[in-house]
Amino acid sequence: MFKVNDRVVYGLTGVCQITDIAKEKYLDQETEYYVLRPLFDKRTIIKTPVQNTKVAMRKIISKEDVFSLIETMPDKEMNWINDNNLRTEQFKAALKTGKTEEWIKLIRILNLKKQERVGMGKKLTKVDENIMKTAEKQLHEEFAVVLNISPDEVERFISEHLPNNKKAIS
């Protein structure tokens, strides 16, 4: 169970802080809820049952985890799926896992495919582009919170800390 002030990744909302744990009665049943405030959207407040199993929620990773992930980024691979519908389904499922490694794999494969398509005078499909942007947003926001930098600085930070200046994500 999480505590008040814990920072968590909540589904595709991103990094949130638990501001309260409240109990509410609904239809004669009392339920305990986390009250979440997304760190990058101050206008939103989310209430989710403590026993929620539909939306992934986990503690944010540690600073050590960030550096470990950066070090292994060049090795993160995912296979390209030619069937658009199957690819979309599997890539969206990877996004929803809430796992940082899955986001890295998505960003990596989609950036590689984007470079390949640009070389042919084409673009990524709109769906692939949106999946990549969502994965980047999730990754950058979590890394930003852990490293105490802005999400806009994360890409440069990753590039500067890659082993042997390898291209991991792009």
Side-chain angles (χ1 to χ4, degrees):
M1 187 161 152
F2 301 107
K3 302 181 302 259
V4 172
N5 293 325
D6 281 351
R7 291 181 172 177
V8 296
V9 174
Y10 179 72
L12 294 178
T13 301
V15 180
C16 299
Q17 184 157 4
I18 297 175
T19 59
D20 195 13
I21 300 172
K23 291 183 181 179
E24 289 187 11
K25 202 170 191 172
Y26 181 73
L27 297 177
D28 293 331
Q29 189 173 359
E30 193 169 75
T31 305
E32 202 167 23
Y33 289 87
Y34 292 117
V35 180
L36 309 173
R37 181 170 297 273
L39 295 183
F40 295 96
D41 178 5
K42 300 293 185 190
R43 300 173 311 225
T44 302
I45 294 176
I46 299 166
K47 287 184 178 180
T48 186
V50 168
Q51 301 302 324
N52 182 3
T53 57
K54 293 182 182 177
V55 179
M57 188 162 97
R58 64 169 172 80
K59 273 196 167 209
I60 62 172
I61 60 176
S62 68
K63 200 170 194 174
E64 293 79 23
D65 291 335
V66 168
F67 284 103
S68 176
L69 284 164
I70 291 171
E71 187 170 314
T72 61
M73 276 181 182
D75 304 324
K76 303 287 183 215
E77 294 199 13
M78 180 179 271
N79 292 324
W80 184 256
I81 302 166
N82 287 322
D83 180 288
N84 286 343
N85 292 331
L86 183 58
R87 182 176 65 252
T88 297
E89 182 182 312
Q90 291 200 1
F91 282 12
K92 283 184 177 180
L95 263 181
K96 289 179 184 177
T97 65
K99 294 180 180 176
T100 313
E101 285 190 18
E102 292 301 311
W103 300 335
I104 291 169
K105 289 177 188 177
L106 284 170
I107 295 165
R108 183 161 164 70
I109 188 70
L110 288 165
N111 264 318
L112 289 170
K113 185 54 81 169
K114 183 177 183 176
Q115 289 173 0
E116 178 185 307
R117 291 186 62 85
V118 165
M120 299 183 315
K122 297 181 179 181
K123 295 181 180 180
L124 276 180
T125 68
K126 188 70 174 161
V127 173
D128 288 336
E129 188 72 37
N130 288 340
I131 289 170
M132 185 168 68
K133 284 180 183 177
T134 300
E136 288 174 334
K137 175 188 173 291
Q138 295 295 102
L139 183 75
H140 291 185
E141 286 182 4
E142 185 169 10
F143 277 24
V145 169
V146 172
L147 299 168
N148 199 27
I149 60 177
S150 106
D152 295 335
E153 297 173 279
V154 169
E155 200 167 319
R156 184 175 45 85
F157 183 91
I158 291 170
S159 293
E160 290 171 356
H161 290 85
L162 280 171
N164 302 322
N165 290 328
K166 290 182 181 177
K167 285 278 193 183
I169 290 190
S170 54

